[in-house]
Amino acid sequence: MPKENIKDRVDGNEIDLSMSSLETKTVPVKELAALPKVTSVDLSCNSITTLPDSFCSLTHIIRLDLSKNDLIELPQDFGNLVHLQHLDLLGNKLTTLPRSFSRLKKLKWLDLKDNQLEAGLKKNAGDCLDEMQCKKCAMRILMYMTDLDAQLEVQYQKKMAKQREEEARQKATEEKERQRIRAEKKAEKERRRRELENKRNQERLAQSDDTSDEDFKAEQEALKPNHKDASHSKGGSFIPFILFSLFALAIALLVAADFYCQHEKKEQMCVKYWQPARRDITKALVSSKKMILKIYHTNIAPYFSK
């Protein structure tokens, strides 16, 4: 609808847009918003099925006629029209009213005849055949919608509380599952740590055993020469001493015997034993000396040179 046509329909604080073939998309919300002094709007006898959500911004409207349209519902924020006092909804296809309807505290007159209202609304709306009945309709419907809104709010709060409880249980279950997973990961980590520690300990023990065996073997090998040297040293010390001691003793005995027999030539033992054997004994001593020296140089002297 052209803007100039709307202005042509303004009469004081009223505008008559009835029988203008208006539909939902052609309701002139912007043009009406530009006319804040127009507080009475007649949109009756059109083909409006729903009002645009932006219509709820026309808070300056006091009187609104929407009778004889095809309205199947009112906007959810219809209660924003807080200055509305007179509302005609005769002859539409409404079954319910929005919860925000309870906020129309200034509503004094309401007509809901010839709608397909649900039982509670229909009972409280009454017949609305005269001015008094329409005023009562407004009062009873506001009370009904206020009670209904309170009940719906209680139900909504219960629903939200149940939803929060469910969410809390879900979060608790999820947290419990996360804790279980964390505990399993921690246990697995501890198990791996212990396995690694045991493995390292076993490796250290194995290395320690190998080192001990090597040290023991080394010590055994080191001890072998010591025993040999000791035996050689001991043999090298005592064998020559014994041999030379025996040889010296034998020479001493022979020298003593020879000295004795030189002075006692007529001694029977000297004549009978010593003088016949003196030459052979001397040869034997010389041979023994050579043999002892040979044994010494061959078997004993090398150990003293080490």
Side-chain angles (χ1 to χ4, degrees):
M1 181 178 290
K3 188 175 181 179
E4 56 272 13
N5 291 343
I6 291 179
K7 288 185 177 181
D8 291 342
R9 296 195 180 193
V10 174
D11 183 10
N13 65 338
E14 298 180 0
I15 186 170
D16 186 359
L17 298 175
S18 62
M19 295 181 291
S20 300
S21 301
L22 294 176
E23 298 178 354
T24 300
K25 295 182 179 181
T26 57
V27 175
V29 176
K30 292 182 178 180
E31 290 78 1
L32 292 173
L35 301 171
K37 292 183 180 180
V38 175
T39 58
S40 178
V41 179
D42 187 353
L43 295 172
S44 62
C45 302
N46 284 290
S47 301
I48 304 172
T49 56
T50 59
L51 290 172
D53 292 338
S54 58
F55 188 87
C56 300
S57 64
L58 304 177
T59 57
H60 58 281
I61 297 177
I62 296 175
R63 186 184 182 94
L64 178 60
D65 189 350
L66 290 168
S67 62
K68 297 182 181 179
N69 276 281
D70 296 319
L71 289 170
I72 57 175
E73 63 179 359
L74 296 177
Q76 293 299 315
D77 293 329
F78 192 79
N80 290 348
L81 304 177
V82 292
H83 293 101
L84 195 60
Q85 297 180 17
H86 184 104
L87 177 60
D88 193 345
L89 294 170
L90 170 70
N92 282 280
K93 299 177 181 179
L94 296 171
T95 57
T96 61
L97 297 175
R99 285 182 58 182
S100 63
F101 199 91
S102 61
R103 298 205 301 266
L104 301 177
K105 302 301 182 182
K106 292 184 178 182
L107 190 63
K108 305 297 182 184
W109 192 96
L110 176 62
D111 190 353
L112 287 171
K113 288 192 307 294
D114 298 332
N115 280 281
Q116 302 171 6
L117 299 174
E118 53 92 8
L121 285 173
K122 185 175 182 180
K123 179 179 178 180
N124 285 278
D127 295 329
C128 194
L129 298 175
D130 53 31
E131 187 77 10
M132 184 60 65
Q133 288 182 350
C134 289
K135 288 181 178 181
K136 288 182 178 180
C137 175
M139 180 182 65
R140 287 194 298 266
I141 290 297
L142 282 177
M143 291 177 63
Y144 174 78
M145 291 303 299
T146 299
D147 292 340
L148 180 62
D149 181 64
Q151 294 175 12
L152 293 174
E153 183 63 23
V154 170
Q155 294 177 5
Y156 174 76
Q157 291 300 330
K158 288 181 178 180
K159 180 181 178 180
M160 292 304 297
K162 186 176 181 180
Q163 183 176 343
R164 285 193 293 270
E165 289 177 0
E166 183 63 27
E167 290 176 354
R169 282 194 296 269
Q170 182 66 23
K171 288 182 179 179
T173 302
E174 292 175 355
E175 179 61 24
K176 186 177 181 180
E177 180 66 15
R178 285 194 292 269
Q179 290 178 357
R180 184 188 66 80
I181 293 173
R182 284 197 294 267
E184 288 182 354
K185 288 182 177 180
K186 185 177 180 180
E188 178 66 16
K189 185 177 180 181
E190 180 65 18
R191 184 185 66 79
R192 291 181 180 179
R193 186 190 67 79
R194 289 181 179 177
E195 287 182 354
L196 181 60
E197 185 176 356
N198 291 335
K199 184 178 179 181
R200 289 176 178 174
N201 289 336
Q202 291 175 0
E203 291 176 353
R204 283 196 292 268
L205 288 173
Q207 292 176 358
S208 177
D209 291 341
D210 293 342
T211 303
S212 298
D213 292 342
E214 292 176 359
D215 292 343
F216 178 75
K217 291 177 181 179
E219 290 177 358
Q220 291 294 103
E221 292 297 328
L223 287 174
K224 286 181 180 180
N226 293 339
H227 290 299
K228 185 176 180 180
D229 291 344
S231 63
H232 287 169
S233 176
K234 188 180 294 183
S237 300
F238 287 99
I239 291 174
F241 177 77
I242 293 172
L243 290 175
F244 283 107
S245 297
L246 292 174
F247 183 71
L249 179 61
I251 291 175
L253 290 173
L254 292 175
V255 170
D258 186 64
F259 179 78
Y260 176 77
C261 289
Q262 288 294 333
H263 292 80
E264 300 292 339
K265 294 180 180 181
K266 296 181 179 182
E267 176 68 32
Q268 184 179 359
M269 290 185 63
C270 293
V271 174
K272 186 176 180 178
Y273 296 105
W274 174 251
Q275 291 179 358
R278 185 175 183 276
R279 183 177 293 179
D280 294 335
I281 292 172
T282 302
K283 290 180 179 181
L285 287 174
V286 173
S287 299
S288 297
K289 177 181 180 183
K290 290 180 179 180
M291 183 185 65
I292 291 172
L293 290 174
K294 184 177 180 180
I295 292 172
Y296 173 79
H297 289 294
T298 302
N299 300 314
I300 299 173
Y303 291 103
F304 285 97
S305 63
K306 291 183 179 181

